[in-house]
């Protein structure tokens, strides 16, 4: 029975929990430290890239009526663009080191503040979308794997194909049209909560949590309703990779020896599928979910635009279009950071799903 | 994997089902609130900050007062701002001295800032000093009205304020009604002055210190601004306070969503829909659609007059006769606006000294070919036509038609779509040969248009035209007090324009204000935004 989950459970149970936690933390710390050079590289690369791109931000922002050379110079000075590039880079690194990402000309605010206000909106949306995607993709994948080649399998394949090939702004607008415009069951698709509802005191930045903390259930419901359409739009787009990977790895694990053995000992169907086959098949799903999450966070710009969601991705796009350097640099750095964290979490989850991986 | 238990799955399904079944919940009565959505966003509370958006102008117009404001008049049955009628806002009245060199303002005695302190001539002095001294947008604007130096502003007594001009300038007074010369609570602002920021720009960007009709409640740059009424403000038309108790200005980037929102009645007014949406909403007849041709705006096809082959007037004339104006107007704007082509000038001379006026050009390929031959390009040439991504909705169909038509006279056109910042940069550096752009003049007088858009080497001289005669007449017309002579100057300028054809004025797009049928009082304003103070609900 070596390699089967049953064997693993006993060893796991025998290992002192504290020691296991300490090892995991140490590993996570080492992992994080080893990704710092990569973050630094991203920082420098984005900085240089922004300066190579055509388009002069000073000219753009001085585009009001009657703006002349003097205005352009003022803005250039304000942005520090009058200095040579190496000096700009040094100043930028110094500022970032002190946690200051610069000032956005577009919103007029500090980039750190902008990102801090907008990241929870994006995270809340992405987490919800990922949750919806996982909750629908995993059962779909399992169903497809249990009856490969059947009508269900083809149905799942068709659904996945539709989800992937319809761009998010189309499905978003379509959902708005049907649920808001035609049937009027969804709230108006602007922002995170009905504009007539007062916002809860911001503790975590996640509205669903903040409303609960404030004990405002009506508010929570309003925020929840507002979240559903954009989250579904994003989920539709990522169901396909998750369902396909679930199906593939379930197929492999259903055809393996231990499942055949489990069947032969006469274990219940449910137990075979969930405890034995799925637990073994879940690793690649975790990996893909991690990747999907990081890409979603940056790639949901269209969803954020369609639903006027005040997230980081739409913020970065606006900044890019107007050559507003500081927010774009800040955003890329943030995304790199999130990517590192997500990878870390995936590693830790791996260790939990399969303790053999954390050895060494 | 604990999530996969069937109970949780059922729970999730139940929540989803509930959601679909639940009807919309109306949070509170909305009759007293005006909700306005826009594609752009408010990025500063002080309109003077470089980079401030038009939406920011609209918000500052309702939070700050100016000394004076424009009256309104009817143009083809629609209310538009009136450049020639200036009424008091913070000033109860004003007199202009007979020689036109002194303007004296008598301030309202009952006017108070939002913190309760009275508005005095000292505040006016500080605010206007700031407008011409600090490195802010107001400086360049006020210059066009000969307001350049703090020494021109004088406090006579707490309620009387005087402006001195070096020359009589008919744009001095209108300039004080534009968005920049806001009157700031100087005591409050001075409390936030620092050594490197003597005019409190950083503080005023995020805070208001005004006496206007509305008070900022929350301000989230890029998302929304919520304002509440200043009940003591009484400077609306007829000495009334603003109608709406609350005002929501919200950014909704997607044009289709803005159209849905206003159609469903969740939003009261929107002005930046796509032409096709405005048209279909108008056809449905449920909403009010007020389309006003933007009579102070022009959309051009511009040619770089310093760059071959467009440095030859005959090439520019050839282009002017080779564009399918009617098709372009229909494809780009769905016919919403006022065309500036297809006129007949009786004896070939401009019928008026106003600008812009419709040009006597229309699609005539034979004439175009003849001009091209005269210019020495009988077989045509190749060039690039550029436009801004931000204007793609109108510029894209227009560019396609232009390309098709110019191909018929042998001119091969490559269409180039540029991101906004890149387009601005290339225009400023005068690197684009052939492109489309739009301009707006807040104070649309003939000399103002010509001085700003046809002279000098600044960005706004899109065609880079350098015509000494035109420049001289435009400068002279600025201070011309005699109306007959001014009209004659205008005709001369228009004649030079048509002869040289530095760029081709195409049309004035419509401003389509789409609003609930209960909204009244909409006026087309020089800043092309909604003046919230004008509106009321039936």
């Amino acid at each position: 029975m070596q390699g089967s989950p049953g064997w693993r459970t006993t060893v796991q149970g025998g290992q002192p929990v504290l020691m296991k936690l300490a090892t995991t933390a140490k590993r996570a710390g080492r992992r994080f430290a080893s990704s710092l050079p990569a973050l630094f590289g991203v920082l420098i690369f984005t900085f240089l890239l922004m300066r190579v791109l055509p388009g002069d931000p000073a000219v753009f922002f001085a585009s009001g009526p009657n703006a002349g050379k003097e205005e352009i110079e003022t803005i250039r000075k304000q942005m520090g663009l009058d200095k040579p590039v190496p000096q700009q880079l040094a100043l930028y690194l110094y500022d970032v080191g002190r946690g200051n990402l610069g000032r956005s000309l577009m919103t007029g605010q500090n980039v750190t503040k902008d990102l801090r206000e907008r990241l929870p909106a994006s995270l809340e949306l992405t987490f919800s979308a990922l949750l919806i995607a996982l909750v629908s993709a995993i059962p779909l994948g399992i169903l497809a794997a249990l009856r490969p080649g059947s009508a269900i399998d083809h149905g799942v394949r068709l659904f996945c194909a539709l989800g992937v090939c319809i761009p998010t702004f189309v499905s978003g607008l379509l959902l708005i049209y049907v649920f808001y415009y035609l049937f009027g069951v969804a709230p108006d698709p602007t922002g995170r909560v009905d504009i007539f509802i007062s916002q809860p005191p911001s503790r975590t930045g996640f509205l669903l949590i903040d409303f609960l903390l404030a004990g405002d259930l009506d508010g929570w419901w309003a925020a929840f309703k507002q979240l559903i359409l954009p989250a579904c739009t994003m989920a539709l787009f990522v169901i396909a990779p998750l369902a396909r990977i679930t199906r593939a790895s379930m197929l492999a694990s259903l055809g393996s020896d231990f499942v055949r053995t489990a069947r032969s000992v006469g274990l219940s169907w449910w137990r075979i599928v969930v405890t034995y086959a799925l637990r073994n098949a879940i690793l690649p799903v975790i990996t893909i979910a991690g990747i999907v999450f990081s890409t979603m966070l940056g790639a949901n710009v269209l969803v954020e635009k369609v639903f006027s969601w005040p997230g980081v991705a739409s913020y970065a796009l606006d900044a890019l279009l107007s050559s507003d350097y500081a927010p774009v640099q800040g955003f890329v750095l943030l995304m790199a950071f999130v990517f590192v964290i997500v990878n870390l979490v995936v590693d830790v989850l791996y260790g939990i799903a399969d303790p053999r991986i954390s050895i060494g | 994997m604990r999530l996969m238990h069937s109970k949780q799955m059922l729970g999730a399904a139940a929540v989803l089902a509930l959601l679909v079944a639940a009807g919309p919940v109306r949070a509170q009565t909305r009759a007293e609130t005006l909700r306005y959505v826009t594609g752009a966003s408010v990025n500063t509370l002080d309109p003077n900050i470089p980079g401030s958006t038009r939406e920011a102008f609209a918000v500052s117009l309702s939070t700050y007062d100016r000394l004076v404001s424009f009256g309104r008049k009817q143009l083809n049955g629609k209310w538009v701002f009136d450049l020639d009628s200036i009424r008091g806002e913070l000033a109860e009245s004003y007199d202009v001295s007979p020689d036109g060199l002194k303007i004296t303002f008598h301030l309202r005695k009952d006017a108070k800032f939002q913190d309760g302190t009275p508005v005095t001539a000292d505040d006016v002095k500080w605010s206007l000093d700031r407008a011409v001294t600090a490195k802010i947008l107001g400086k360049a604007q006020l210059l066009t009205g000969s307001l350049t130096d703090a020494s021109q502003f004088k406090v006579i007594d707490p309620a009387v304020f005087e402006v001195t001009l070096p020359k009589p300038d008919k744009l001095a007074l209108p300039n004080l009604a534009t968005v920049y010369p806001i009157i700031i609570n100087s005591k409050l602002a001075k409390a936030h002055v620092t050594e490197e920021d003597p005019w409190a720009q950083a503080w005023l960007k995020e805070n208001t210190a005004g006496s206007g009709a509305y008070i900022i409640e929350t301000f989230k740059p890029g998302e929304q601004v919520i304002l509440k009424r200043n009940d003591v403000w009484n400077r609306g038309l007829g000495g009334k306070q603003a109608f709406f108790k609350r005002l929501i200005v919200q950014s909704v980037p997607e044009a289709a969503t803005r159209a849905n929102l206003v159609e469903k009645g969740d939003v009261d007014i929107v002005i930046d829909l796509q032409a096709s949406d405005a048209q279909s909403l108008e056809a449905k007849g449920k909403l009010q659609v007020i389309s006003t041709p933007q009579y102070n705006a022009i959309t051009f096809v511009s040619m770089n007059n310093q760059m071959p082959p467009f440095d030859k007037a005959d090439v520019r004339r050839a282009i002017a006769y080779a564009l399918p104006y009617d098709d372009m107007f229909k494809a780009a704007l769905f016919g919403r606006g006022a065309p500036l082509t297809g006129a007949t000038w009786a004896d070939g001379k401009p019928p008026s000294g106003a600008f812009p006026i419709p040009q006597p050009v229309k699609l005539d390929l034979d004439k175009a070919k003849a001009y091209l031959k005269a210019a020495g390009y009988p077989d045509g040439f190749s060039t690039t036509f550029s436009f801004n991504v931000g204007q793609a909705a109108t510029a894209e169909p227009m560019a396609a038609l232009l390309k098709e038509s110019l191909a018929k006279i042998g001119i091969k056109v490559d269409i180039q779509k540029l991101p906004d910042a890149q387009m601005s940069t290339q225009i400023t550096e005068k690197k684009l040969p052939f492109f489309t752009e739009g301009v707006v003049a807040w104070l649309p007088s003939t000399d103002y248009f010509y001085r700003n858009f046809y002279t000098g080497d600044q960005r706004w001289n899109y065609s880079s035209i350098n015509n000494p005669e035109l420049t001289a007449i435009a400068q002279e017309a600025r201070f011309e007090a005699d109306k007959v002579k001014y009209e004659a100057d205008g005709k001369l300028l228009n004649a030079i324009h048509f002869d040289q054809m530095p760029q081709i004025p195409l049309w004035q797009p419509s401003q389509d204000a789409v609003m609930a049928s209960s909204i009244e009082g909409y006026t087309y304003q020089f800043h092309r935004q909604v003046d919230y103070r004008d509106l009321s609900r039936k």
Side-chain angles (χ1 to χ4, degrees):
Chain A
M1 287 281 283
Q2 213 182 42
S4 85
W7 171 83
R8 231 185 285 148
T9 326
T10 40
V11 176
Q12 220 171 333
Q15 199 180 11
V17 181
L18 264 181
M19 222 176 91
K20 202 172 149 262
L21 263 179
T23 343
T24 315
K26 215 192 253 166
R27 254 188 98 245
R30 216 170 36 232
R31 272 276 169 144
F32 183 73
S34 68
S35 54
L36 284 180
L39 283 181
F40 187 70
V42 166
L43 196 68
I44 294 188
F45 178 74
T46 335
F47 179 88
L48 294 176
L49 186 71
M50 283 311 287
R51 271 139 191 90
V52 172
L53 284 180
D56 184 340
V59 173
F60 181 75
F61 283 104
S63 62
N66 296 304
K69 289 214 169 67
E70 200 183 332
E71 278 70 31
I72 297 176
E73 276 318 305
T74 312
I75 295 182
R76 198 164 274 147
K77 223 173 194 169
Q78 236 176 47
M79 294 179 80
L81 296 175
D82 51 338
K83 301 185 179 78
V85 172
Q87 198 187 340
Q88 283 181 44
L89 179 62
L91 280 174
Y92 178 62
L93 290 179
Y94 174 70
D95 278 345
V96 172
R98 294 185 311 160
N100 175 9
L101 292 175
R103 198 167 252 282
S104 157
L105 277 181
M106 199 177 45
T107 65
Q109 305 249 19
N110 206 303
V111 172
T112 326
K113 187 172 173 237
D114 272 342
L115 289 178
R116 199 169 52 223
E117 271 169 15
R118 283 165 169 267
L119 184 64
S122 286
L123 282 179
E124 190 169 38
L125 176 61
T126 311
F127 273 127
S128 318
L130 188 66
L131 190 71
I132 296 174
L134 283 174
V135 164
S136 33
I138 294 180
L140 285 177
I142 296 174
L143 280 177
L146 288 174
R147 302 266 180 285
S150 68
I152 296 179
D153 191 15
H154 286 300
V156 171
R157 191 169 297 149
L158 177 73
F159 181 68
C160 290
L162 278 179
V164 160
C165 71
I166 299 179
T168 45
F169 66 91
V170 175
S171 49
L173 286 175
L174 202 69
L175 287 178
I176 291 177
Y177 181 72
V178 173
F179 290 102
Y180 168 68
Y181 182 81
L182 279 187
F183 297 127
V185 291
D188 67 56
T190 54
R192 298 172 73 189
V193 68
D194 187 325
I195 193 122
F196 288 93
I197 285 180
S198 49
Q199 299 251 352
S202 177
R203 293 192 175 100
T204 59
F206 289 77
L207 277 187
L208 291 183
I209 298 176
D210 283 349
F211 270 123
L212 278 187
L213 288 178
D216 179 357
L217 287 181
D218 287 341
W220 186 88
W221 180 238
F224 179 74
K225 281 200 303 181
Q226 203 87 24
L227 181 65
I228 286 295
L229 284 192
C232 283
T233 309
M234 280 173 75
L236 271 180
F237 195 62
V238 295
I239 279 179
L242 294 170
R244 299 307 297 166
I245 217 81
T246 312
R247 178 183 180 274
S249 74
M250 267 307 269
L251 272 180
S253 114
L254 283 171
S256 65
D257 288 348
F258 59 84
V259 168
R260 203 188 53 198
T261 316
R263 273 206 189 113
S264 69
V265 246
L267 289 176
S268 74
W269 176 85
W270 179 253
R271 196 145 173 228
I272 294 171
V273 171
V274 176
T275 322
Y276 287 74
L278 184 62
R279 181 150 187 194
N280 276 281
I282 209 69
L283 282 182
V285 181
I286 294 179
T287 318
I288 297 293
I291 294 172
V292 160
F293 178 82
S294 348
T295 41
M296 265 158 95
L297 195 53
N300 59 19
V301 48
L302 291 172
V303 178
E304 289 185 0
K305 282 271 173 222
V306 168
F307 291 92
S308 317
W309 200 260
V312 281
S314 61
Y315 172 71
L317 182 76
D318 289 344
L320 187 64
L321 282 179
S322 45
S323 287
D324 195 357
Y325 293 165
V328 178
Q329 286 161 196
F331 171 78
V332 175
L333 187 65
L334 179 74
M335 283 303 113
F337 188 74
V338 168
F339 193 73
V340 166
I341 296 290
V342 166
N343 274 326
L344 214 68
V345 171
V346 167
D347 280 357
V348 171
L349 287 179
Y350 252 64
I352 293 167
D354 187 349
R356 283 173 303 174
I357 294 172
S358 43
I359 296 165
Chain B
M1 280 311 94
R2 305 284 174 258
L3 254 182
M4 293 307 305
H5 279 301
S6 55
K7 270 183 199 157
Q8 261 109 341
M9 289 268 303
L10 269 177
V15 167
L16 276 173
L18 243 174
L19 232 159
V20 177
V25 185
R26 275 285 140 257
Q28 61 193 83
T29 167
R30 313 182 18 164
E32 296 172 328
T33 305
L34 180 81
R35 188 172 175 204
Y36 166 82
V37 294
T38 164
S41 62
V42 180
N43 56 357
T44 158
L45 296 179
D46 176 357
N48 280 298
I49 303 296
S52 55
T53 56
R54 280 199 272 144
E55 278 64 26
F57 294 159
V59 164
S60 81
L61 271 157
S62 52
T63 51
Y64 284 101
D65 286 324
R66 286 130 189 89
L67 280 175
V68 287
S69 61
F70 291 116
R72 59 178 195 169
K73 62 178 177 189
Q74 285 214 308
L75 192 74
N76 305 324
K78 285 151 194 159
W79 287 109
V80 298
F81 75 96
D82 184 1
L83 185 65
D84 301 317
S85 109
I86 306 276
R87 62 191 181 95
E89 195 159 281
L90 271 179
E92 199 160 37
S93 62
Y94 61 86
D95 346 290
V96 183
S97 65
D99 59 1
L101 292 178
K102 263 194 176 66
I103 312 174
T104 313
F105 295 94
H106 304 275
L107 302 182
R108 282 171 189 264
K109 302 215 167 58
D110 63 339
K112 285 195 168 55
F113 284 113
Q114 288 167 358
D115 68 353
T117 52
V119 179
T120 66
D122 288 322
D123 295 303
V124 177
K125 163 88 176 143
W126 189 83
S127 306
L128 294 186
D129 285 357
R130 177 182 192 260
V132 297
T133 313
K135 287 197 165 163
I136 54 178
L137 297 179
K139 198 175 171 178
Q141 174 66 41
L142 294 183
L143 196 105
T144 66
S146 300
L147 302 165
T148 52
D149 197 275
S151 63
Q152 290 175 268
F153 308 126
K154 202 165 138 199
V155 175
I156 306 290
D157 72 47
V160 181
F161 181 75
E162 192 181 85
V163 174
T164 316
L165 300 171
K167 269 186 190 182
D169 190 327
K170 49 186 167 305
L171 291 187
L173 203 53
N175 252 301
L176 292 175
T178 61
V179 307
Y180 296 129
I182 50 176
I183 303 305
I184 302 166
N185 184 340
S186 64
K187 287 152 293 248
L188 199 54
K190 277 183 198 158
H192 296 90
V193 158
T194 61
E195 204 163 304
E196 60 273 23
D197 183 13
W199 297 104
Q201 293 183 59
W203 187 76
L204 285 167
K205 190 174 192 172
E206 282 160 40
N207 298 276
T208 44
S211 55
Y214 284 93
I215 301 167
I216 300 281
E217 214 173 84
T218 56
F219 168 47
K220 290 190 187 167
E223 280 180 59
Q224 66 192 44
V225 190
I226 297 180
L227 305 101
K228 65 168 190 267
R229 183 171 69 192
N230 176 10
D231 288 336
V232 298
W233 185 86
N234 57 358
R235 296 181 271 290
L237 280 172
K240 280 188 276 192
Q241 57 175 199
F243 177 86
F244 289 99
K245 280 194 174 161
R246 254 175 127 220
L247 187 61
I248 296 175
V249 179
Q250 200 180 3
S251 302
V252 173
E254 184 62 46
T257 307
R258 293 197 291 277
N260 281 342
L261 285 167
V262 70
E263 191 180 352
K264 290 286 282 183
D266 282 326
V267 154
D268 297 305
I269 179 164
V270 52
I271 55 167
D272 54 353
L273 293 181
Q274 278 176 0
S276 52
D277 285 336
Q279 195 187 35
S280 81
L281 287 177
E282 190 169 34
K284 283 181 188 165
K286 270 187 355 198
L287 298 166
Q288 260 187 97
V289 179
I290 301 184
S291 320
T292 326
Q294 305 183 15
Y295 82 96
N296 57 338
I298 312 169
T299 304
F300 290 110
V301 162
S302 197
M303 295 160 278
N304 189 329
N305 288 220
Q306 309 296 330
M307 198 188 268
F310 298 110
D311 55 347
K312 289 203 164 70
D314 278 336
V315 169
R316 304 196 293 267
R317 291 174 192 137
I319 305 265
Y321 284 104
L323 299 185
Y325 297 106
D326 294 341
D327 294 345
M328 281 160 61
F329 187 53
K330 273 182 207 127
L333 294 184
F334 290 78
R336 305 181 76 82
L340 290 175
T341 51
T344 29
W345 285 4
D347 40 8
K349 291 202 181 106
S352 143
F355 190 84
I357 50 167
Q359 304 288 307
V361 293
K362 56 181 197 298
L363 179 63
D364 184 342
L365 289 178
D366 295 328
K367 222 169 175 173
K369 271 184 205 150
Y371 274 124
L372 212 50
K373 205 171 161 194
Y377 293 97
D379 304 320
F381 53 86
S382 296
T383 185
T384 316
F385 183 76
S386 318
F387 63 86
N388 211 323
V389 177
Q391 289 162 4
T394 52
E396 203 142 40
M398 176 189 132
L401 287 165
L402 171 143
K403 176 178 175 154
E404 191 190 330
S405 191
L406 288 184
K408 290 179 192 155
I409 57 168
I411 301 178
K412 214 178 135 281
V413 178
D414 257 342
I415 294 177
Q416 190 184 37
K417 195 164 151 182
L418 293 173
D420 302 20
Q422 212 170 318
M423 180 101 178
S424 322
T425 311
Q426 298 224 32
I427 284 179
T428 309
E429 289 170 1
K430 310 281 178 203
K431 280 187 181 151
L432 295 178
F434 190 33
F435 57 98
T436 177
E437 255 298 347
V439 299
V440 188
W442 280 355
L443 311 172
S445 62
T446 303
D447 72 294
Y448 186 89
F449 270 113
Y450 276 105
R451 278 185 292 119
N452 283 302
F453 303 118
Y454 290 98
T455 64
D457 65 347
Q458 89 285 16
R459 167 190 180 162
W460 310 110
N461 182 0
Y462 288 123
S463 58
S464 305
I465 179 180
N466 179 14
N467 184 313
E469 196 189 349
L470 186 150
T471 311
I473 301 172
Q475 292 300 353
E476 198 187 285
R478 176 177 181 183
F479 299 107
E480 184 55 72
D482 184 340
K483 286 209 162 124
V484 177
K485 276 193 193 145
Y486 186 78
E487 176 74 8
D489 281 344
K491 279 187 182 170
L492 265 176
L493 289 169
N494 283 342
I496 299 175
H497 185 288
F498 176 63
D499 175 57
Q500 290 298 310
M501 199 51 80
Q503 52 189 1
I504 311 162
L506 291 178
W507 53 64
Q508 300 181 298
S510 265
Q511 172 110 291
D512 293 315
V514 179
M515 63 198 94
S517 49
S518 59
I519 301 288
E520 283 180 327
Y522 171 78
T523 304
Y524 173 73
Q525 290 291 352
F526 67 99
H527 44 76
R528 297 184 299 149
Q529 279 291 308
V530 178
D531 192 334
Y532 311 115
R533 304 171 299 179
D534 294 340
L535 299 181
S536 62
R537 201 192 294 278
K538 255 185 267 187

